[in-house]
Amino acid sequence: INSGLMIYSGGSAEVPVTIIEKQAILTSQLIIKPALAGFNQQVTVQLSVTNTGVYAARNVYAEAPVYTGGGLIGAAGPSYTGPIALMPVGASALFQWIFTTNSVGGTVEFSTRAVGVDNVTGLGVTSTVAAANLDIVAPPPLVSWITAGPDPVNIGSNVTIIMSVSNFGSVAADVIP
């Protein structure tokens, strides 16, 4: 039953509290160019990183991409050889690797993330893992034909030769005459 009487307790000790509102926040996106490739084709894998937090980040770097599914050889990069010393709020960076395909079909899944340190709190920060797929397709079937004219031709006359090439595949081909 509530009697309406006020009851007082003894004093309590004050405890200092440190409030950290937010820190550096790294967001990332993985980009593969082209997303569809053929055999022995170079593929660029890029990790775009942005600091969307309220504090700067320091020593930001990209972890080497992990890939599953096979069909790749070699990797050059990243384009940043060391960590980014200071990434202010709103700043972005692009890390890049180059791979070469060695398969005529399949899918390769890439994943990586960015890692750094909050410049104010000193706490470690990481982006979520960014992932993207590369589809490797068989070389395109090319069909070519040649026409020449005029027909008949006389000695000393000009002859025009035309070579046409059609790509009946699903991937682009570099055709060199």
Side-chain angles (χ1 to χ4, degrees):
I1 298 176
N2 185 352
S3 66
L5 297 174
M6 296 180 90
I7 300 173
Y8 296 95
S9 67
S12 60
E14 290 186 22
V15 177
V17 176
T18 303
I19 298 174
I20 300 174
E21 293 179 22
K22 289 187 180 178
Q23 57 185 359
I25 298 171
L26 301 177
T27 58
S28 61
Q29 178 184 11
L30 197 61
I31 304 156
I32 300 177
K33 297 178 184 177
L36 183 67
F39 175 74
N40 200 34
Q41 185 173 349
Q42 284 194 336
V43 177
T44 303
V45 176
Q46 297 174 325
L47 182 68
S48 175
V49 180
T50 303
N51 180 0
T52 59
V54 295
Y55 298 152
R58 67 177 187 266
N59 300 326
V60 177
Y61 66 93
E63 293 181 338
V66 174
Y67 57 92
T68 58
L72 296 176
I73 54 173
S79 56
Y80 284 101
T81 56
I84 299 170
L86 186 66
M87 181 180 276
V89 173
S92 295
L94 192 67
F95 298 90
Q96 177 173 291
W97 298 263
I98 306 293
F99 291 86
T100 303
T101 62
N102 72 347
S103 172
V104 293
T107 299
V108 179
E109 182 179 330
F110 290 91
S111 61
T112 185
R113 68 181 182 169
V115 178
V117 176
D118 182 272
N119 198 44
V120 174
T121 66
L123 298 173
V125 292
T126 59
S127 71
T128 57
V129 173
N133 288 342
L134 165 68
D135 290 322
I136 303 173
V137 296
L142 301 177
V143 176
S144 64
W145 60 95
I146 295 177
T147 58
D151 185 20
V153 67
N154 294 320
I155 296 176
S157 297
N158 289 331
V159 176
T160 302
I161 299 174
I162 299 173
M163 180 176 189
S164 300
V165 179
S166 289
N167 179 352
F168 292 99
S170 60
V171 66
D174 294 327
V175 179
I176 302 170

